Amino acid sequence: MFLFKKIFAALVLPPTGPLLLMFAGLLLWRRRAGRWLLWTGFLSLVLLASPLVSRALLGLVDDTPPLDYAQARAAQAIVILGGGVRHAPEYGGDTVGRLTLERVRYGAWVAKRTGLPVLVSGGSVYGGTPEAEAMRQALEQEFGVPVRWVEARSRNTRQNAERTAEVLLPQGIRRIVLVAHSFDMPRARAEFEAAGFETVLAPTGMPGEWPEELPLALKLIPNMAALQGSYFALYELLADAARRLGI
């Protein structure tokens, strides 16, 4: 089921989903439905790559405010969720991927300002170094933040919550600061609260305000960063729908 969901998401989400629509449209070009599919795929790809549309989708997924440090200091631990690893020849092996690095960096920032102990959560999704181990190395060796617990068996957000509960709840730790990306936060919060935790949300990667002098054209012209933002937002909408359906 895990692999099926990954393949399904890869086929449906941009850019593959719109490209498949365009390909089907080319195959059926002589028919009216074919031309409709082609234009639907093309326009959806253009719109999803538009910064204005991408920002709107990310806002639709989550509007969590920044971390409240007064609440954070009343928590018992910080939990940082993994977001992928990458093979990095320049580092001599696997290291944290971009999303994981952003979470690790913010988790270190929060840890240094609260003094709370840290748990990192994330297993090996497709083989290689578990996310949690790569996170531990980065936190301790690069950010100078000790990691007390390493949960390295989970492969998705639900398992992050369940495996973390197995580590922390027996120690009486229920109130946690949860570090993840803003677009991932509603689903992560739901999974961790279902596992028995009280969560103080620490979102990172939050969409900022547009620069005052940014021309409208640059908010509309498609770019890769906007397409990736749309991908993350649509992925979360699909994943949350699957969670609610118990899939």
Side-chain angles (χ1 to χ4, degrees), residues 141-162:
Q141 298 174 16
E142 300 177 40
F143 293 95
V145 173
V147 174
R148 183 173 298 183
W149 306 280
V150 176
E151 183 289 295
R153 295 183 297 149
S154 54
R155 301 178 70 192
N156 55 42
T157 307
R158 178 169 297 174
Q159 291 181 10
N160 287 145
E162 293 171 348

Side-chain angles (χ1 to χ4, degrees), residues 24-231:
L26 288 173
L27 292 178
L28 301 171
W29 175 252
R30 293 182 180 276
R31 302 182 183 180
R32 187 180 210 179
R35 294 190 291 275
W36 183 87
L37 286 171
L38 179 62
W39 278 108
T40 299
F42 173 74
L43 291 175
S44 63
L45 189 60
V46 169
L47 288 173
L48 291 172
S50 166
L52 201 62
V53 173
S54 178
R55 181 72 64 96
L57 286 172
L58 289 170
L60 177 66
V61 170
D62 179 60
D63 59 357
T64 304
L67 174 64
D68 183 331
Y69 280 93
Q71 292 186 26
R73 293 186 182 94
Q76 298 167 283
I78 297 170
V79 175
I80 308 173
L81 304 187
V85 298
R86 70 178 183 92
H87 183 69
E90 69 272 28
Y91 285 100
D94 292 340
T95 188
V96 290
R98 180 179 69 82
L99 295 181
T100 306
L101 179 59
E102 291 178 0
R103 297 178 184 192
V104 162
R105 181 188 179 195
Y106 187 52
W109 173 276
V110 175
K112 290 181 178 181
R113 281 154 181 78
T114 61
L116 293 171
V118 174
L119 179 145
V120 290
S121 177
S124 178
V125 179
Y126 299 113
T129 303
E131 293 174 349
E133 181 55 33
M135 294 162 73
R136 182 194 64 78
Q137 292 176 8
L139 280 164
E140 294 184 344
Q141 298 174 16
E142 300 177 40
F143 293 95
V145 173
V147 174
R148 183 173 298 183
W149 306 280
V150 176
E151 183 289 295
R153 295 183 297 149
S154 54
R155 301 178 70 192
N156 55 42
T157 307
R158 178 169 297 174
Q159 291 181 10
N160 287 145
E162 293 171 348
R163 303 288 185 256
T164 298
E166 293 172 2
V167 175
L168 296 184
L169 293 184
Q171 301 183 47
I173 298 176
R174 290 185 173 277
R175 186 172 176 83
I176 62 169
V177 176
L178 185 60
V179 179
H181 275 80
S182 176
F183 56 77
D184 196 33
M185 195 56 78
R187 187 164 56 93
R189 177 181 189 175
E191 296 289 9
F192 273 79
E193 292 185 350
F197 289 103
E198 297 177 31
T199 57
V200 178
L201 306 183
T204 189
M206 304 175 67
E209 297 292 331
W210 295 109
E212 291 185 6
E213 298 182 359
L214 184 68
L216 176 61
L218 292 182
K219 299 178 184 180
L220 299 173
I221 296 174
N223 62 58
M224 285 302 300
L227 183 61
Q228 188 172 62
S230 294
Y231 170 90

